[in-house]
Amino acid sequence: MGNKTKGLLALVGLGALAYWKYKNSSDEDKQMVKDKINTAKDNLNKWSNDFKDKANNVASQVKDRANDVASQVKDKANDVASQAQDKTEDLKNRTQEVVS
């Protein structure tokens, strides 16, 4: 038998033991088990919601930063294009002055 098979058998055995113990326990003990399971479920849900909120927050920050960078790049490109156009007009005017 491999390690996986032994581990699986051990897990099934523990599950069967827990089930037997639960079925033979008092109503108070059963309620305690249910309460522990519900508390664990609530904690897990809270943790997952916190994780989702943080992930959405980070995604929003990344998106905002990307938009800021894109806007800066666009503004810089427009500035460069405007400067190039100004230089072109200046060169045309100088050329016309030299030709005249």
Side-chain angles (χ1 to χ4, degrees), residues 41-53:
K41 178 182 151 190
D42 292 342
N43 289 340
L44 186 61
N45 284 337
K46 181 181 178 226
W47 178 81
S48 67
N49 287 338
D50 289 346
F51 184 76
K52 284 180 190 177
D53 290 343

Side-chain angles (χ1 to χ4, degrees), residues 32-78:
M32 281 186 359
V33 169
K34 289 178 184 177
D35 291 343
K36 284 182 182 180
I37 289 172
N38 287 335
T39 301
K41 178 182 151 190
D42 292 342
N43 289 340
L44 186 61
N45 284 337
K46 181 181 178 226
W47 178 81
S48 67
N49 287 338
D50 289 346
F51 184 76
K52 284 180 190 177
D53 290 343
K54 287 179 183 178
N56 287 336
N57 215 2
V58 168
S60 176
Q61 289 175 356
V62 167
K63 186 176 180 181
D64 291 345
R65 182 66 180 138
N67 287 338
D68 289 345
V69 169
S71 177
Q72 290 173 359
V73 168
K74 186 177 178 181
D75 291 344
K76 186 66 174 175
N78 287 338

